[in-house]
């Protein structure tokens, strides 16, 4: 399909003014670069847009839009206001569905409730036509995966850990079972590669072979794991992932020195042995409190029907 990845800046208002003043007081190129990597880029949210063709997408769903949020990492490095801004951006795009792909907190249990509450307000405000679906990431397991699932569900988020839901043409709600008329889109989710237990068979149970499937998986290497560990490679038309933060630091001519993917799946749209894969740079940060040449992002995916 066609891939569009254009950044749309957000007006940061007073924050930009203060950051500009801080940078102006810095001396030398190195100081300015460091200031930008810590004070500007980590908060300069963009919208990354992709258009993806799917075989068998029902005609009535041509143009179906999913907005993905991932790796918010609410905690000591990522303030509440930054996560709220990302959610506001997602809702302002008025998508059909919002997909959350893990690492909602830094670690521990302190931030689980606030994170769920932020996402819950996005649900109650009808930030998308069909609601919000979610899977967990490794940092959610570093906290308390069971509590995260419980609070997300209580907030109105549909958690699809090794599970799936269906979008039916003309329906205003997600269905737990297929319609049986071939007019479905399956949204599946699997658990985290590092800390969870992946069950792709459960995530795709009862899905008709002709039904297109979009799978949520926090770690992009999940796609290769599924290929290696499936007796018969399942049909997955698109996978949405995060985890890598785009490398978080991208150097000119070199790229990201460190990518937490065994296959180099750092950022953007790539092709795995299983399926096309969109890897988001995410919203927050982890390990190092900086971003270089890879700003945080909200991802918008437009699904189109492949012409026969």
């Amino acid at each position: 399909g066609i891939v569009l990845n254009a950044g749309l800046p957000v007006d940061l208002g007073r924050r930009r003014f203060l950051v500009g003043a801080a940078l102006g007081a810095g001396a030398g190129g190195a100081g300015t670069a460091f200031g930008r990597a810590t004070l500007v880029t980590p908060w300069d949210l963009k919208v990354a847009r992709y258009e993806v063709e799917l075989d068998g997408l029902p005609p009535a769903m041509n143009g179906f839009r999913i907005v993905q949020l991932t790796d918010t990492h609410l905690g000591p490095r990522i303030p509440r206001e930054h996560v709220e801004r990302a959610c506001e951006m997602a809702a302002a795009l008025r998508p059909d569905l919002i997909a959350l792909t893990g690492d909602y907190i830094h670690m521990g249990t302190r931030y689980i409730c606030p994170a769920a509450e932020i996402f819950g307000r996005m649900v109650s405000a009808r930030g998308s036509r069909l609601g919000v679906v979610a899977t967990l990431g490794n940092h959610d397991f570093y906290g308390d995966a069971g509590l995260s699932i419980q609070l997300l569900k209580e907030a109105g988020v549909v958690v699809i850990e090794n599970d799936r839901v269906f979008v039916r043409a003309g329906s205003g709600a997600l269905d737990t079972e297929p319609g049986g008329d071939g007019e479905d889109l399956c949204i599946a989710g699997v658990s985290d590669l590092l800390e969870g237990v992946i069950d792709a068979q459960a995530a795709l149970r009862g899905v008709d072979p002709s039904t297109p499937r979009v799978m949520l998986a926090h770690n992009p290497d999940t796609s290769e794991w599924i290929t290696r560990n499936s007796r018969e490679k399942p049909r997955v038309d698109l996978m949405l992932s995060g985890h890598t933060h785009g490398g978080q630091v991208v150097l000119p001519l070199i790229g990201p020195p460190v990518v937490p993917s065994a296959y180099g799946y750092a950022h953007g749209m790539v092709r795995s042995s299983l399926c096309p894969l969109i890897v988001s740079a995410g919203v927050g940060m982890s390990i190092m409190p900086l971003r270089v040449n890879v700003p945080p992002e909200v991802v918008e995916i437009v699904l189109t029907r492949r012409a026969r």
Side-chain angles (χ1 to χ4, degrees), residues 39-243:
L39 297 175
V40 177
T41 305
W43 319 110
D44 194 14
L45 279 160
K46 310 284 186 182
V47 175
R49 289 196 169 99
Y50 301 86
E51 184 176 312
V52 182
E53 291 181 329
L54 297 188
D55 288 321
L57 187 69
M61 293 186 201
N62 193 49
F64 188 89
R65 292 188 305 120
I66 301 172
V67 167
Q68 178 197 11
L69 289 171
T70 193
D71 295 270
T72 50
H73 285 281
L74 182 67
R77 294 189 183 96
I78 306 300
R80 181 186 183 100
E81 63 173 359
H82 182 62
V83 179
E84 289 175 335
R85 188 182 305 114
C87 291
E88 289 166 2
M89 287 179 65
L93 293 168
R94 306 304 301 168
D96 295 293
L97 184 69
I98 292 175
L100 310 177
T101 52
D103 277 9
Y104 308 120
I105 59 165
H106 174 59
M107 59 179 59
T109 59
R110 177 180 177 184
Y111 296 97
I112 295 175
C113 186
E117 189 258 325
I118 292 170
F119 297 136
R121 283 196 282 112
M122 188 166 57
V123 174
S124 61
R126 301 286 296 178
S128 65
R129 183 172 65 87
L130 295 172
V132 181
V133 295
T135 54
L136 300 189
N138 53 301
H139 278 256
D140 304 308
F141 283 87
Y142 297 159
D144 185 325
L147 180 60
S148 292
I149 291 172
Q150 174 191 332
L151 294 181
L152 285 169
K153 286 182 176 180
E154 290 177 359
V157 175
V158 178
V159 180
I160 46 175
E161 285 273 294
N162 298 321
D163 204 351
R164 78 288 185 270
V165 291
F166 295 89
V167 179
R168 300 200 63 197
S171 174
L174 296 172
D175 292 307
T176 57
E177 297 301 328
D181 55 5
E183 294 296 298
D184 295 320
L185 168 66
C186 173
I187 308 294
V190 291
S191 193
D192 179 64
L193 177 65
L194 299 179
E195 299 295 328
V197 177
I198 295 171
D199 190 340
Q201 185 174 359
L204 296 170
R205 73 186 186 280
V207 184
D208 189 274
S210 66
T211 298
R213 308 102 184 271
V214 175
M215 180 174 281
L216 314 185
H218 176 69
N219 191 317
D221 290 1
T222 302
S223 58
E224 303 296 346
W225 188 96
I226 291 173
T227 296
R228 291 196 316 271
N229 291 277
S230 299
R231 182 177 304 173
E232 182 178 343
K233 186 168 71 173
R235 174 183 173 180
V236 177
D237 296 273
L238 177 66
M239 182 175 284
L240 306 182
S241 298
H243 183 64

Side-chain angles (χ1 to χ4, degrees), residues 24-37:
T32 300
F34 179 78
R36 182 168 186 82

Side-chain angles (χ1 to χ4, degrees), residues 5-35:
N5 194 350
L8 300 180
V10 177
D11 182 9
L12 299 181
R14 184 169 179 270
R15 180 190 291 275
R16 282 196 179 280
F17 173 79
L18 295 174
V19 167
L23 293 180
T32 300
F34 179 78

Side-chain angles (χ1 to χ4, degrees), residues 224-276:
E224 303 296 346
W225 188 96
I226 291 173
T227 296
R228 291 196 316 271
N229 291 277
S230 299
R231 182 177 304 173
E232 182 178 343
K233 186 168 71 173
R235 174 183 173 180
V236 177
D237 296 273
L238 177 66
M239 182 175 284
L240 306 182
S241 298
H243 183 64
T244 67
H245 302 188
Q248 206 164 289
V249 173
V250 177
L251 302 179
L253 304 179
I254 297 174
V258 179
V259 177
S261 163
Y263 304 91
Y265 298 153
H267 185 212
M269 193 167 198
V270 299
R271 177 83 201 199
S272 74
S273 64
L274 180 68
C275 63

